[in-house]
Amino acid sequence: MGHDAFRRRFNYHAGGNPQTAGYDVSTRGGLVADTARQRRVLVLFLIVVGVGVGILEGFTEVVVPTAAALLALDLLAAAWVARSHPRVMPHVHPAIALELAGAGLIAAVIGYNMPAAHGLLPMLLIPALRIGEYAGRALASWTVACLFPLIFILDRFVGTQSSQTDRTSTLLWLVIALITGLVGARVATMERDQEESTPRAAQEAAALLRRLDTLAGSMDAGFDVPASAEMMLEALRQEITLRRSAVLVGTSDHPAVPLALRGSDRVPWPGPEVEGSPLQHTWSTGEAIVEAWQGDTGSRTVLTVAIRDTDGQSIGVLVADREGSLPFNRHDVAVVEDIVHQHGPNLDVALSFAALREHAGMEERERLAREMHDGIAQELVAFGYQIDMVRRQYAENLPHLPNPMDGLRTDLTHVLSGLRLRIADLRVAVRPDQGLGAVISSRLQRFGTSSDLSIALRLNETGFRLPAHTETLLYRLFLKVLDDARHAPGATALDVNLSVTAPQAFLRITHDGASELHQRIFQDHPINDLGGQVIVDRLPGTGVVVQVALHGTPRRAPQPLTNERMPLR
């Protein structure tokens, strides 16, 4: 299964995930979070503009008291909304009454003295905006619609007779007020949707997690990938006679990973990418097949059945073989297919859960690497530039004396080089498309360019891969020894020997420096629980040899730390 299938599995339905519905929740939330402050700034701006226009036109005694009264009513309404529950009878909310009073006040003053009220026209937007925010677009529209006859009736029968220009200007501001009220209603709706979507998403996530925990308890092996594979082989052993069996997972684009193996301490068949391998046909096509094969112990008959996920896509192969004199028949094939059908979904769920954990771990490592690169690394580089400036000034003023800053600059360069390697280690990980041998080779190349050590690498890998969590543990142990070689006084050479015949592996790392590594450091290393052994030996004089032998028989079932088959990047 590819990355797209993995994403389909863990995505919400289109109706429940705002991202699939057309926009991002985080983007919308950031937009809505700023609207309250923007509305406050807009209200103050309209008040200041109105007062300024009134003062310039010489109508201070009309505009200033009205603006002050309108601002007081708006502040009272905002204070009432802040201290009350937003969902309690919003259509009779006291804040709405205060805003309606403000709208009536503005309309009355404008209608009574329209030529003197040019500064009050922009203030029509304030109650329209607030009513739309508190009560919705319907009441905002009705409010503006009622202000229209109120203003012009007062102007005709009570107030000063206004000009056609004044009436046109007032009508234009009423239209703008209507639009403002509709915008306020829309923004308030977005805010309420945002507030309600957060608890709904949390409730859905909690329900899914509880359901996930219940399902894990109902599965015999939980979400443990190796345990699920072992249960499949155990069910196979109880049903038919066989000599050797294995569960291999992966896709046709990546090497096979043996999760469980019985009857042999290594995978006895050639890899599925090898021409003539009995695994090749099922691995590439997904069709079950019984095939005669001439193996290392003579003539064999091999049965291979594809393991499929819930979408029907092949995620691996169940392999069984026995002597060629006992070929598998149709009944045997049907039994194996039934076992795969029963246990395949459990393995698929365990692999998918492991993929999710791996993806989260990779994102966390990338975040840490980015923070280190943008933080302390940049600060150290800037510090290095300051040291270089001091060195140049010292060399110009006191050229005949040794520069005490030279040693400090050398030490800082050494620290920066080590920090860059740490950042690179966080970003480099064992992945389905890049195995242990490739990662170690790449790391040694970078190490060679940043150190004076001579490096030798001997690499031997078969077509089968170790489980990803095993490769990760071996790689971290390799990095620990590499860091010891980097800081070991007197180190001049580093020798690495890696041999992988899955599920077995052997790693030997030697350097000739004064090492700080001891046997007790690796006494409780997780590799011991996988059937491995870490041995630390001292070389004559200075130097150390660290050997890791992985026998492929775990002492206890390992935790499914990473995915074995899904390319996530």
Side-chain angles (χ1 to χ4, degrees), residues 131-208:
I131 293 172
E133 176 186 353
Y134 298 152
R137 59 186 180 182
L139 186 57
S141 302
W142 277 106
T143 300
V144 176
C146 292
L147 293 180
F148 178 81
L150 176 62
I151 291 175
F152 287 100
I153 289 174
L154 289 175
D155 175 60
R156 182 173 180 83
F157 296 105
V158 179
T160 306
Q161 293 294 324
S162 62
S163 65
Q164 182 64 33
T165 302
D166 292 335
R167 289 194 293 270
T168 302
S169 177
T170 302
L171 180 60
L172 177 62
W173 278 104
L174 284 171
V175 173
I176 297 175
L178 175 61
I179 297 174
T180 304
L182 297 177
V183 172
R186 175 57 181 167
V187 173
T189 301
M190 293 175 60
E191 287 181 332
R192 286 191 291 270
D193 290 345
Q194 175 67 14
E195 293 173 357
E196 293 173 358
S197 65
T198 300
R200 282 204 306 267
Q203 292 170 5
E204 184 177 357
L208 288 174

